[in-house]
Amino acid sequence: MLKQPVARPALKLPRIIFGATSLGNLFTASSDKTKSDIVDAWFDSSASTVAIDTAGKYGAGLSLEVISRELLRKGIPPESLIISNKLGWRRIPLVGDAPTFEPEVWIDLKYDATQDISSEGILRCWEEGNQLLSPYRANYVSVHDPDEYLAAATSPHDRQRRLTDILDAYKNLIQLRNTGKVTSVGIGAKDWRTIQSIESSCQLDWIMFANSFTIMQHPAELVDYISDLRDRNKHVINSAIFHGGFLLGSHFLDYKPLDRQIASHAAAIKWRDTYNKICLRWNITPFQAGLSFALSHPGIKSIALSSTNPARIAEQSRQVETIVDQGFWLDLKQHQLISESYPHL
């Protein structure tokens, strides 16, 4: 067991964490000027310490390189900000015209990426990440996509081997924390039950849910788990709250191209159509409603927001404190778009 007997103090992360997927060319290849403007907007919009969430997977390391370039341009002291790097992917040479690790998701890349989750692999990812960030370093680290790593198992034996890889990776990350080489260790995944399983075996400082607790998807068991994390002083970060942009009109659902022939996709599209009509009726943007719901649980301490449009970042940041009319939530419940039993609205 990796659990340690001594409780760690609560983290003090800002309310908004800026996601850096756009710097890695998620869905679109933004210009260098746009990426500079995005980073400028992060600092202009933040009233406290700027926290950046990135990963080696984001553009096969491109996001990390752009963060380093833009922070150097601005002359930001390394000790004045928080960089969280989700580890588990390393860059490899690109063979062909497009990367293979997530087809059609990452655009105009010069490298491909490969998953590398193991005791030594996670250190390789950490070292590569810091090289790409240099002279900056990631002070918050986690194993990225452990759920997807487990889901790729070909047999029960293979799944157990993969779980051992993940736990061994966390042993090394916790050792980095214990020796002061990183500040904190957490976990980020799309499957919240994988998070729950791993978190029960490791003393983690923060939890990042992706595509999990959203206005469209908020199972009662997850609501209870977030309450449990709050009771145990764990810092919960909510991310991918629009299902990879789907709730804002994207043609991707949870980072996969929409296909109306898939029953779950067809149901999601129907849900979105009704949602948009109700938002229009109440003069509330889908962004504002989704953001307010994603922050509604008192156990959620931070929200991770990503944008490809620097002009929107300031307004999105201000909307964190917006209070939505109770009648709107009642309308959503009456149309069975959100759970009638959800207690935090």
Side-chain angles (χ1 to χ4, degrees), residues 123-282:
L123 294 180
R124 288 190 289 267
C125 295
W126 176 65
E127 290 166 356
E128 177 180 273
N130 286 334
Q131 289 170 2
L132 296 175
L133 283 168
S134 181
Y136 301 88
R137 296 172 65 86
N139 39 16
Y140 284 48
V141 295
S142 63
V143 176
H144 195 193
D145 298 329
D147 49 344
E148 294 179 4
Y149 187 63
L150 290 174
T154 57
S155 66
H157 175 77
D158 186 39
R159 190 183 191 283
Q160 183 57 50
R161 178 190 64 80
R162 288 169 177 265
L163 179 59
T164 299
D165 285 344
I166 293 168
L167 296 180
D168 285 347
Y170 269 112
K171 285 181 182 178
N172 274 340
L173 294 186
I174 290 171
Q175 180 63 19
L176 291 177
R177 184 184 67 190
N178 292 345
T179 56
K181 294 180 180 178
V182 301
T183 302
S184 74
V185 177
I187 186 171
K190 301 178 183 70
D191 183 345
W192 69 269
R193 290 196 181 277
T194 298
I195 289 177
Q196 188 178 40
S197 175
I198 294 172
E199 187 264 332
S200 69
S201 298
C202 308
Q203 189 178 31
L204 304 179
D205 304 305
W206 52 270
I207 311 296
M208 176 179 279
F209 295 110
N211 298 337
S212 299
F213 180 79
T214 72
I215 195 168
M216 188 171 72
Q217 182 173 292
H218 43 277
E221 298 89 348
L222 176 55
V223 173
D224 291 342
Y225 179 44
I226 295 173
S227 297
D228 173 61
L229 290 169
R230 177 190 58 181
D231 293 343
R232 291 189 284 118
N233 214 26
K234 302 293 184 180
H235 194 104
V236 177
I237 305 164
N238 203 0
S239 70
I241 62 173
F242 302 109
H243 293 277
F246 170 76
L247 296 184
L248 305 181
S250 167
H251 297 297
F252 288 79
L253 173 61
D254 296 340
Y255 308 106
K256 296 178 182 178
L258 279 175
D259 183 350
R260 291 178 180 270
Q261 301 305 311
I262 300 174
S264 61
H265 286 206
I269 292 169
K270 182 179 180 181
W271 188 101
R272 183 176 67 180
D273 289 344
T274 306
Y275 173 62
N276 285 336
K277 290 177 182 177
I278 296 174
C279 285
L280 184 63
R281 181 158 65 238
W282 285 87

Side-chain angles (χ1 to χ4, degrees), residues 313-325:
I313 292 175
E315 177 59 27
Q316 290 177 351
S317 299
R318 285 192 292 269
Q319 289 189 38
V320 166
E321 304 304 329
T322 299
I323 297 175
V324 174
D325 192 296

